[in-house]
Amino acid sequence: MGKTNPGRFFEDYRVGEVIAHAVPRTVAEGERALYHALYPARHALYSSDMFAQDCGLESAPLDDLAAFHVVFGKTVPDISLNAVANLGYAEGRWLAPVWPGDTLNSVSEVIGLKQNSNGKSGVVYVRTTGLNQNGEPVLEYVRWVMVRKRDLDAQAPETVIPELRTVVDPADLVIPEGLDFTGYNFALAGEPHRWGDYEIGEKIDHVDGVTLEEAEHMLATRLWQNTAKVHFDATFRPDGQRLIYGGHIISLARALSFNGLANAQMIVGLNGGAHANPAFSGLTVKAWSEVLDKAETPAPGVGALRLRLVATKDGADPFALKGEDGKYKPEVLLDLDYWALIPT
Amino acid sequence: MGKTNPGRFFEDYRVGEVIAHAVPRTVAEGERALYHALYPARHALYSSDMFAQDCGLESAPLDDLAAFHVVFGKTVPDISLNAVANLGYAEGRWLAPVWPGDTLNSVSEVIGLKQNSNGKSGVVYVRTTGLNQNGEPVLEYVRWVMVRKRDLDAQAPETVIPELRTVVDPADLVIPEGLDFTGYNFALAGEPHRWGDYEIGEKIDHVDGVTLEEAEHMLATRLWQNTAKVHFDATFRPDGQRLIYGGHIISLARALSFNGLANAQMIVGLNGGAHANPAFSGLTVKAWSEVLDKAETPAPGVGALRLRLVATKDGADPFALKGEDGKYKPEVLLDLDYWALIPT
Amino acid sequence: MGKTNPGRFFEDYRVGEVIAHAVPRTVAEGERALYHALYPARHALYSSDMFAQDCGLESAPLDDLAAFHVVFGKTVPDISLNAVANLGYAEGRWLAPVWPGDTLNSVSEVIGLKQNSNGKSGVVYVRTTGLNQNGEPVLEYVRWVMVRKRDLDAQAPETVIPELRTVVDPADLVIPEGLDFTGYNFALAGEPHRWGDYEIGEKIDHVDGVTLEEAEHMLATRLWQNTAKVHFDATFRPDGQRLIYGGHIISLARALSFNGLANAQMIVGLNGGAHANPAFSGLTVKAWSEVLDKAETPAPGVGALRLRLVATKDGADPFALKGEDGKYKPEVLLDLDYWALIPT
């Protein structure tokens, strides 16, 4: 097995190290169609070139989460092949739309390391940047994962825990060039609700549900060239179940959130996120959102909503989140905190 | 749940009302590839740009039924979210091909209303038009659905039942501009049978079968942005089954009909259709056709066949349709009546 | 059923006969995206237009195996609809890349016939050529299949067994025009191993596994317009199982071989292949490779590796192949022998 990639272990990372990930990927109209087949995605800006042009863009970009998955997928062989858990996200920003025909690469910098007290694993913090064929960054985010050690006797590195913002400052959000919602067509978009109609603290039950299928989560995860065995190989886990890529749940919940947030068109910031419980085929996923904050932007007619997006599974109570012990309820799959752009 | 779409109920419709549906959708080569992955589609005009050019078209259009599904899907949130049953189709005409890159919208006019005698629901008749980015109609059809009332005490509207033709007059069929079958290559198309080889009353058993899968019907139905819960959420029906979108069966049966009707290239008219029985994952679908009528067209080398397309499931007798009681046999899934263009 | 295709039987073939297969097919970016969704394909030359351009090509071609499947799929209705078994491949060569937008056709010449001693079936040898819209051959290969007789009393044809090379001579491999690996970026490609790093006799366990799903193998097989009933109709075989298209296993194993052979970018020769045992949904496929031979090529920086690619299923020992009786072990699904181009 000398030529295969065993993945990196905790002791293989150094703070400051920059890892250029393989494999570059050109995304085009095929990926757009597949995204619409895999998720009940209906946000008009990504569904219609005409609608996008009426909003000042050259055409419909690739869904922001598809861009995230492509950038993320490349990091898996270098960052999370031996990960025990994906612990968190922070400081995520979409920096430029991804257009059909663009080719994406990913680069990660190790920005923190902390060996666990058990000596068997540690937490690795990386800041990942996705770049297009012109070398322009299209996305950056921090994530941290718990990674096993290969050699339990390997010396613990100096602990470095990066200071991470709990929320992206609205002033730091990057509005796509030309974006203009002053002529926004609410009828075509599907709902009349605009920025001013949402109140901080408001919760929205997105009502619809989708039952998970093995073929669907595998098609999606493969499309993003995410290679983690646990998603594809039913013989890998002792229980014979394929663990569903957390990003599949993110995209599914975001698409379900159309029903109530149809005008929250573009995702521009990722403040944080937790994959609260594992997801498996056969579960039915539903979603709810909470408006956490609101902000103005300098772009014409464009406001920002900070949203909590929660995905739940069968048996969840309305707006289920955490129990009295402060821990996520077992029916909660995802708790995501993001900024979206919406017409004012 | 004030921001989510509860769907319209019977008392929400008014005759003459025009509903502009969300969300516009750009279709391209990705949708074409997915159509070929989801259905055993082999009609050469849709499979090959070269073949389509040799027939006088600029390139292979999107499959006529894919265009139908995109247009239909947009109507679901406004027309059939609270539908009990999809009762029928009439006066369907394809008015222009849909080319890769086109953006489609849908508009429906309410043309009839009839409250049921039980007072709990009523029948809504709509004429739906699909339009491309230039505002040109690409498809129109009438369908009627049974819709529940929200308020059982709501007053019954005046009954208006539209006069609908049982068959589209061949003179009203729209032949795509430039279509010319005089140089048609039967060898490449896969079968030698031309217009003159089919006789009225002739029945064709299409032989092949496809077993239905949850992942496949959901991918297809999602691709057309059809949002009806019953297709995706296994917890929605008491029996835990996901009802398969009727259009999935239409496309499947049409694709199977290649074997015997390979030259019935373009669908230009939809005379009627019944989803005779519900379809679920695990069933094996087969199809048979009957030649109902023949007509000439003004286009060079182009004739029209009026075809009955019947989809059946496991255990159906050959050419199964209706029992002695005049009702569809339980093994029959679909009875569709359409016009197709075929070389003379 | 007079209009449907019953397929050809053994007595229907004549040596020297040329069969032009239906249906031409245009392949584009949708097929590329689907290939990445269906298989864990990561070879950079097919994933990134930029990477392909850096290797002297105009853009990323369609995966070589996707081209193979499209060409192969067209032959099924004429060659293998009544086949009992797909017996072998030989003398396969990729002659030109298939670019997005190309339209492919297939033509086969019958080059051999041998009735079996039982008088019920015989072996048909065909040389199939895939052609693009300019009439340029893109692929050719020989395969032989065992086909049933319709009429057991039909006279046996004169036996003609073609002389076939057991391996394509490296001098006969066609290097895509312009291919140049002198500026090859190993970091982007995912592995540092070059031609010189592989030794004849070296074996590589590709480690990763994928569990087979009905929806996935059917989507793939349909995409290539392969119409063999046995892949789609669960009622066709007495055991109720859908036999998985052998080409699905080839593509899956090849994609898995990225892990250890990431730089074996282009497939240019098919020396032979055996579908050792049938594959069904639910099995988990893994793969291993053996370096059978090495050759130089005239293209700058480009070497060739002759590789054995073996796909196995659950329970296979490492590097499982044949038992002491010389027969394939029951856990072996595929034994493929091919030439690939790799940077020197």
Side-chain angles (χ1 to χ4, degrees), chain A residues 17-318:
Chain A
E17 179 184 16
V18 174
I19 303 169
H21 306 292
V23 174
R25 171 70 173 278
T26 303
V27 290
E29 288 156 357
E31 281 74 14
R32 176 166 74 180
L34 270 163
Y35 200 83
H36 283 93
L38 289 163
Y39 305 107
R42 297 183 68 218
H43 286 91
L45 197 65
Y46 301 89
S47 178
S48 166
D49 284 340
M50 304 297 289
F51 193 95
Q53 286 159 12
D54 289 343
C55 293
L57 304 182
E58 59 185 75
S59 71
L62 191 70
D63 192 283
D64 305 309
L65 290 176
F68 174 81
H69 297 318
V70 171
V71 171
F72 181 100
K74 297 185 194 323
T75 70
V76 168
D78 297 316
I79 306 297
S80 47
L81 213 57
N82 299 304
V84 184
N86 199 28
L87 298 172
Y89 305 99
E91 299 188 2
R93 295 190 306 156
W94 279 257
L95 303 170
V98 175
W99 307 108
D102 277 2
T103 298
L104 300 183
N105 280 298
S106 299
V107 173
S108 295
E109 181 182 355
V110 180
I111 59 169
L113 288 171
K114 181 185 179 302
Q115 182 164 311
N116 288 328
S117 53
N118 64 14
K120 296 181 180 173
S121 58
V123 179
V124 180
Y125 296 79
V126 294
R127 186 181 304 273
T128 297
T129 305
L131 303 144
N132 67 17
Q133 66 279 6
N134 302 319
E136 297 165 343
V138 297
L139 169 66
E140 64 174 19
Y141 63 91
V142 172
R143 76 162 166 145
W144 52 106
V145 292
M146 192 184 301
V147 179
R148 283 185 286 126
K149 292 176 72 174
R150 183 196 297 107
D151 171 12
L152 298 191
D153 296 330
Q155 202 185 347
E158 187 188 357
T159 293
V160 176
I161 298 179
E163 277 190 50
L164 297 171
R165 298 187 181 191
T166 55
V167 58
V168 177
D169 190 315
D172 293 334
L173 297 174
V174 177
I175 314 295
E177 195 180 324
L179 190 72
D180 180 343
F181 281 161
T182 52
Y184 190 92
N185 188 325
F186 289 85
L188 285 182
E191 291 183 351
H193 322 302
R194 50 177 79 224
W195 186 78
D197 297 327
Y198 291 90
E199 289 179 25
I200 294 173
E202 179 177 357
K203 292 182 182 180
I204 302 158
D205 179 344
H206 300 301
V207 182
D208 301 310
V210 172
T211 304
L212 299 171
E213 291 292 322
E214 300 283 16
E216 293 192 344
H217 78 80
M218 293 205 301
L219 285 168
T221 309
R222 237 184 252 120
L223 184 60
W224 319 126
Q225 296 176 310
N226 179 327
T227 60
K229 292 176 185 64
V230 74
H231 305 318
F232 301 106
D233 181 348
T235 68
F236 190 71
R237 283 167 55 106
D239 66 3
Q241 289 196 288
R242 278 164 273 181
L243 181 69
I244 291 179
Y245 164 49
H248 187 62
I249 306 301
I250 295 177
S251 277
L252 188 47
R254 158 72 176 165
L256 289 171
S257 79
F258 176 91
N259 201 344
L261 283 165
N263 298 318
Q265 293 283 356
M266 305 193 89
I267 300 183
V268 286
L270 177 63
N271 301 308
H275 299 290
N277 283 289
F280 301 102
S281 180
L283 298 178
T284 298
V285 176
K286 297 193 173 183
W288 63 269
S289 292
E290 180 181 358
V291 180
L292 297 178
D293 202 357
K294 300 175 64 172
E296 298 183 349
T297 86
V302 179
L305 291 182
R306 182 182 165 202
L307 296 161
R308 158 175 275 161
L309 173 62
V310 178
T312 64
K313 65 180 181 183
D314 314 58
D317 292 327

Side-chain angles (χ1 to χ4, degrees), chain C residues 177-252:
Chain C
E177 195 180 325
L179 190 71
D180 180 343
F181 281 162
T182 52
Y184 191 92
N185 188 325
F186 290 86
L188 285 183
E191 291 183 352
H193 322 303
R194 50 177 80 222
W195 187 78
D197 297 327
Y198 291 91
E199 289 177 25
I200 295 174
E202 179 176 355
K203 292 182 181 179
I204 302 158
D205 179 345
H206 300 300
V207 183
D208 301 310
V210 172
T211 304
L212 299 171
E213 290 293 322
E214 299 283 17
E216 293 191 344
H217 79 79
M218 292 205 302
L219 286 168
T221 309
R222 238 184 251 119
L223 184 61
W224 318 127
Q225 295 175 311
N226 180 328
T227 60
K229 293 176 184 65
V230 74
H231 306 317
F232 301 105
D233 181 348
T235 69
F236 189 71
R237 284 166 55 108
D239 66 2
Q241 289 196 289
R242 278 163 273 180
L243 181 69
I244 292 178
Y245 164 49
H248 187 62
I249 305 302
I250 294 177
S251 276
L252 188 47

Side-chain angles (χ1 to χ4, degrees), chain B residues 33 36-37 39-42 44 47-50 188 190 193 197-198 202 205 207-209 211 213 216 259-260 284 314, chain C residues 3-5 22-26 28 30-31 77 103 105 214-215 218-219 222-223 225 227 229 232-235 242:
Chain B
H36 283 92
Y39 305 108
R42 299 182 68 218
S47 177
S48 165
D49 285 341
M50 304 296 290
L188 284 183
H193 322 305
D197 297 327
Y198 290 90
E202 180 176 357
D205 179 345
V207 183
D208 301 310
T211 303
E213 291 293 322
E216 293 192 343
N259 200 344
T284 298
D314 313 59
Chain C
K3 288 204 169 61
T4 57
N5 175 21
V23 174
R25 171 69 173 279
T26 304
E31 282 74 14
T103 298
N105 280 297
E214 299 283 17
M218 292 205 302
L219 286 168
R222 238 184 251 119
L223 184 61
Q225 295 175 311
T227 60
K229 293 176 184 65
F232 301 105
D233 181 348
T235 69
R242 278 163 273 180

Side-chain angles (χ1 to χ4, degrees), chain B residues 217-281:
Chain B
H217 78 81
M218 293 205 301
L219 286 168
T221 309
R222 238 185 251 118
L223 184 60
W224 319 127
Q225 296 174 312
N226 179 328
T227 59
K229 291 176 185 66
V230 73
H231 306 318
F232 301 105
D233 180 348
T235 68
F236 190 70
R237 284 167 54 106
D239 66 2
Q241 289 196 288
R242 278 163 273 181
L243 182 69
I244 291 178
Y245 164 48
H248 187 62
I249 305 301
I250 294 177
S251 277
L252 188 47
R254 158 71 176 166
L256 289 171
S257 79
F258 176 91
N259 200 344
L261 283 165
N263 298 318
Q265 293 283 357
M266 305 193 90
I267 299 182
V268 285
L270 178 62
N271 301 307
H275 299 289
N277 284 288
F280 301 102
S281 179

